[in-house]
């Protein structure tokens, strides 16, 4: 996260008390809530009055407890709902699993309000909030990406957040633990792997770097070709984080596996997004009596990361490139509650906004890493609702090819982009618009070869190349939750970014 921007937004929030609670014990959980079948699960949890000294704040814990009410026939989706992945039907030979990529724990120096360790011990309150959020947001896998410090000073299985007393189960490669399975009260399990984020973002280390703590630090902060190859030798898929800060030629010069296609940082950095983003945030949350739902505040600053998309289209003309969406949560920037009583930057809030949906035959470390490396996944913003039914694949005379696959042009591939629907929406709400786009990449600007509104795309490929799919949404259905100026925020947003399919000569 851009600390300068976070501090500025924090000052704005506290200058205008209606923007957030800012330590005020008077909470208004009904603000921004619709009148239709409103079964809001928000509680009266408040952060400590002195937010900057908030070490033992348990607001996240209580809100997480209340917001794990999965949708069913009697309860329609609302902005704080969590939907279990069993509502997703299998896709050919694969099941769909939801996970978070790019996430910081107590092994990052700036996590947990920059107090990841207290008196030499992990900040247990912050760590427990994170672990609980894996469950309450129903994640099936987590790819941690801790900073070099203090990650470099610790070992496996500690960096896997392993807690024997909590019933965690380690997964081994030989004698080495490489993943941790965390069991949830509702029966869901979360498979967690350790990684790093500095100039590069290796996902899924199988072991720590060799050497002293200082030598490890230097390696983890490196960005040379040798460092990339060394990280891959440690079992990781190596992505470039914050790709908007790079030049395409510099990305192409490294043997990386992929890039982030979206990261919140690019939306909140005024040097990238422009200072007008602050106006939209203020417009969304003020005045208090007509503020939008706190969990939809993302809509006030959600924009496409245009530079990352430009990088992707150019890189796909040079080589295979996988994409992921980056949550980048630290729980370190806005330590006061919004209108719903949950802190503005809570793990719960940020991990509900979007995720990476992987197509897997089984839930194992190898399967997850293979899906990420090959690109057999798509990113989706579930802040709008759970987009069930999306699919992007190539059907040929010889069978189906998935995202990340190479489909020979000789097999007459037909590319299919399936329009999603939002699971368990109240039929009394207005219908959203889904805008589907099929893009031929490999150069910039890319070529749109097919598009539709609320209808599937079937496109017979006439020439080899790299094809990717996007879905955008105009969320008319969210109007009851968008506050007193709802029309301003009902506009086009990105919903789904799919990894490409490679049609080969």
């Amino acid at each position: 996260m851009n600390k300068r921007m976070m501090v500025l937004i924090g000052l704005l929030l506290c200058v205008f008390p209606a923007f957030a609670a800012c330590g005020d014990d008077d909470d208004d959980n009904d603000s921004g809530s619709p009148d239709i079948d409103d079964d809001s699960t928000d509680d009266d949890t408040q952060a400590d009055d002195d937010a900057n000294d908030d070490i033992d704040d348990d607001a996240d814990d209580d809100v997480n407890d209340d917001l794990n009410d999965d949708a069913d026939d009697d309860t329609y989706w609302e902005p704080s709902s969590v939907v279990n992945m069993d509502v997703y039907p299998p896709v050919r030979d694969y099941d769909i699993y939801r996970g978070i990529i790019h996430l910081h724990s107590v092994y990052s120096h700036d996590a947990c309000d920059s107090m990841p360790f207290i008196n030499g011990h992990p900040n247990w309150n912050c760590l427990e909030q994170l672990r609980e959020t894996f469950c309450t947001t129903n994640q099936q896998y987590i790819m941690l990406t801790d900073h070099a410090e203090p990650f470099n000073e610790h070992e496996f299985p500690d960096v896997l957040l392993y807690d024997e007393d909590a019933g965690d189960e380690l997964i081994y490669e030989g004698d080495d633990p490489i993943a941790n399975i965390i069991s949830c009260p509702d029966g869901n399990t979360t498979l967690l792997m350790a990684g790093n984020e500095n100039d590069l973002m290796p996902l899924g280390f199988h072991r720590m770097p060799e050497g002293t703590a200082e030598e490890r630090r230097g390696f983890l902060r490196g960005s040379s070709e040798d460092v990339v190859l060394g990280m891959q030798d440690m079992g990781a898929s190596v992505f470039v984080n914050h790709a908007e800060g790079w030049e395409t030629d510099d990305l192409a010069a490294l043997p990386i596996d992929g890039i982030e296609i979206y990261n919140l940082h690019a939306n909140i950095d005024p040097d990238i997004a422009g200072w007008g983003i602050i106006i939209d945030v203020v417009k969304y949350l003020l005045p208090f009596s007509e503020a939008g739902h706190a969990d939809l505040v993302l809509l006030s600053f959600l924009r496409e990361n245009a530079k990352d998309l430009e990088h992707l289209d150019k890189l796909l003309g040079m080589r295979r490139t996988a994409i992921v969406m980056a949550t980048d949560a630290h729980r370190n920037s806005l330590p006061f509650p919004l209108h719903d009583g949950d802190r503005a930057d809570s793990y719960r809030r940020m991990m509900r906004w979007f995720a990476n949906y992987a197509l897997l035959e089984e839930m194992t470390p190898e399967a997850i890493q293979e899906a990420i490396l090959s690109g057999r996944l798509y990113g989706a913003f579930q802040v709008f609702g759970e987009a069930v039914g999306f699919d992007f694949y190539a059907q040929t005379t010889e069978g189906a090819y998935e995202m990340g696959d190479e489909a020979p042009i000789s097999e007459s591939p037909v590319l299919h982009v399936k329009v999603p629907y939002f699971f368990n929406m109240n039929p009394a709400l207005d219908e959203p618009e889904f805008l589907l786009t099929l893009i031929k990449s490999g150069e910039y600007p890319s070529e749109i070869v097919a598009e539709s509104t609320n209808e599937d795309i079937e496109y017979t490929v006439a020439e080899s190349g790299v094809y990717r799919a996007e879905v955008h949404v105009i969320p008319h259905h969210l109007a009851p939750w968008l506050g007193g100026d709802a029309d301003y925020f009902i506009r086009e947003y990105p919903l789904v970014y799919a990894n490409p399919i490679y049609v080969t000569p």
Side-chain angles (χ1 to χ4, degrees):
M1 288 295 177
N2 182 282
K3 295 291 290 183
R4 178 165 61 95
M5 183 58 179
M6 289 288 89
V7 170
L8 179 57
I9 291 179
L11 290 173
L12 282 172
L13 293 180
C14 289
V15 167
F16 298 100
F19 197 35
C22 287
D24 187 351
D25 288 336
D26 293 329
D27 187 21
D28 185 355
N29 288 325
D30 293 330
S31 176
S33 297
D35 293 329
I36 51 173
D37 195 38
D38 182 12
D39 295 323
S40 175
T41 56
D42 297 337
D43 63 11
D44 293 326
T45 303
Q46 295 292 332
D48 294 342
D49 286 343
D50 188 353
N52 290 330
D53 293 332
D54 173 22
I55 300 175
D56 295 320
D57 168 31
D58 55 12
D60 286 349
D61 289 328
D62 294 340
V63 173
N64 281 342
D65 289 339
D66 278 356
L67 293 178
N68 193 27
D69 58 335
D70 299 319
D72 55 35
D73 292 340
D74 300 320
T75 305
Y76 291 118
W77 180 95
E78 58 185 28
S80 294
S81 297
V82 174
V83 177
N84 285 332
M85 289 304 294
D86 58 9
V87 306
Y88 279 73
V91 175
R92 292 165 294 282
D93 296 330
Y94 300 97
D95 293 318
I96 301 177
Y97 294 85
R98 176 170 55 215
I100 299 294
I101 295 175
H102 195 155
L103 181 65
H104 295 268
S105 77
V106 294
Y107 295 101
S108 289
H109 68 277
D110 55 352
C112 305
D113 296 327
S114 296
M115 292 178 287
F117 278 70
I118 301 173
N119 296 326
H121 299 284
N123 183 332
W124 295 115
N125 184 62
C126 184
L127 178 56
E128 285 306 304
Q129 288 173 9
L130 176 59
R131 284 175 54 98
E132 182 179 356
T133 301
F134 299 155
C135 295
T136 57
T137 59
N138 198 248
Q139 307 296 334
Q140 280 73 61
Y141 69 94
I142 298 289
M143 306 302 286
L144 287 178
T145 52
D146 283 308
H147 291 310
E149 308 90 359
F151 182 80
N152 63 316
E153 299 175 355
H154 296 272
E155 305 293 341
F156 283 72
D158 290 347
V159 294
L160 298 171
L161 311 187
Y162 176 63
D163 186 343
E164 182 178 10
D165 293 338
D168 291 2
E169 179 184 352
L170 292 173
I171 298 177
Y172 289 84
E173 183 179 72
D175 295 330
D176 300 322
I178 63 171
N180 182 24
I181 297 178
I182 297 172
S183 296
C184 300
D186 64 358
N188 183 51
T189 59
T190 302
L191 192 154
L192 180 146
M193 300 190 74
N196 178 242
E197 187 236 351
N198 286 283
D199 288 341
L200 298 172
M201 189 173 71
L203 304 174
F205 278 147
H206 289 200
R207 54 185 170 84
M208 292 298 293
E210 297 179 355
T212 65
E214 187 60 29
E215 289 170 338
R216 289 179 174 184
R217 178 182 179 275
F219 173 78
L220 294 169
R221 293 177 65 87
S223 59
S224 67
E225 178 177 351
D226 287 343
V227 169
V228 174
L229 295 174
M231 290 174 170
Q232 291 168 338
D233 186 57
M234 293 166 59
S237 301
V238 181
F239 282 67
V240 165
N241 49 299
H242 305 295
E244 65 276 357
W246 289 65
E247 296 299 325
T248 306
D249 288 344
D250 294 330
L251 294 172
L254 291 174
I256 57 173
D257 299 303
I259 63 171
E260 293 177 342
I261 197 63
Y262 177 82
N263 187 305
L264 286 168
H265 167 86
N267 280 175
I268 62 176
D269 186 342
D271 294 331
I272 300 173
W275 290 96
I277 225 69
I278 297 177
I279 297 174
D280 274 7
V281 175
V282 173
K283 189 180 186 73
Y284 184 83
L285 290 175
L286 285 176
F288 183 81
S289 61
E290 296 184 355
H293 192 291
D295 275 347
L296 297 182
V297 67
L298 175 63
L299 274 63
S300 66
F301 54 87
L302 173 58
R303 307 289 189 275
E304 288 199 309
N305 290 178
K307 185 67 173 179
D308 297 346
L309 292 168
E310 178 182 340
H311 284 322
L312 176 62
D313 286 326
K314 290 178 178 178
L315 287 170
L316 288 174
M318 306 175 192
R319 63 166 188 228
R320 294 179 59 95
T321 304
I323 58 172
V324 298
M325 286 172 54
T327 297
D328 203 1
H330 294 63
R331 212 213 74 155
N332 70 344
S333 301
L334 301 173
F336 43 77
L338 295 185
H339 307 321
D340 59 358
D342 194 11
R343 61 181 283 159
D345 65 343
S346 73
Y347 283 126
R348 179 205 65 83
R349 198 185 306 282
M350 294 184 67
M351 288 169 63
R352 276 201 66 265
W353 281 344
F354 56 88
N356 294 273
Y357 293 75
L359 277 60
L360 306 175
E361 292 181 326
E362 58 181 349
M363 175 53 73
T364 65
E366 294 79 13
I368 294 169
Q369 289 192 280
E370 190 274 331
I372 293 172
L373 179 62
S374 68
R376 200 172 59 253
L377 61 76
Y378 61 89
F381 291 91
Q382 73 234 45
V383 66
F384 301 102
E386 202 70 44
V388 176
F390 172 78
D391 195 10
F392 177 45
Y393 67 100
Q395 186 65 50
T396 77
T397 55
E398 300 300 319
Y401 291 85
E402 307 294 347
M403 294 173 291
D405 284 346
E406 298 181 359
I409 190 71
S410 60
E411 295 180 13
S412 304
V414 177
L415 297 175
H416 294 260
V417 186
K418 296 291 187 179
V419 64
Y421 66 91
F422 288 134
F423 176 75
N424 206 35
M425 282 291 168
N426 190 326
L429 297 171
D430 291 339
E431 292 288 336
E433 292 181 66
F434 296 103
L435 313 172
L436 281 64
T437 307
L438 181 62
I439 300 164
K440 187 174 186 290
S441 287
E443 59 184 25
Y444 185 81
S446 55
E447 177 187 0
I448 296 176
V449 297
E451 53 189 340
S452 71
T453 300
N454 294 333
E455 294 185 357
D456 296 345
I457 290 176
E458 292 187 12
Y459 177 77
T460 300
V461 179
E463 59 182 357
S464 59
V466 185
Y467 296 83
R468 62 184 185 87
E470 295 180 4
V471 180
H472 286 215
V473 65
I474 303 176
H476 301 286
H477 63 297
L478 295 183
W481 292 285
L482 292 178
D485 199 4
D487 288 346
Y488 180 81
F489 296 102
I490 297 176
R491 56 199 182 199
E492 184 177 331
Y493 299 90
L495 176 64
V496 175
Y497 291 116
N499 264 281
I501 293 173
Y502 304 82
V503 178
T504 58

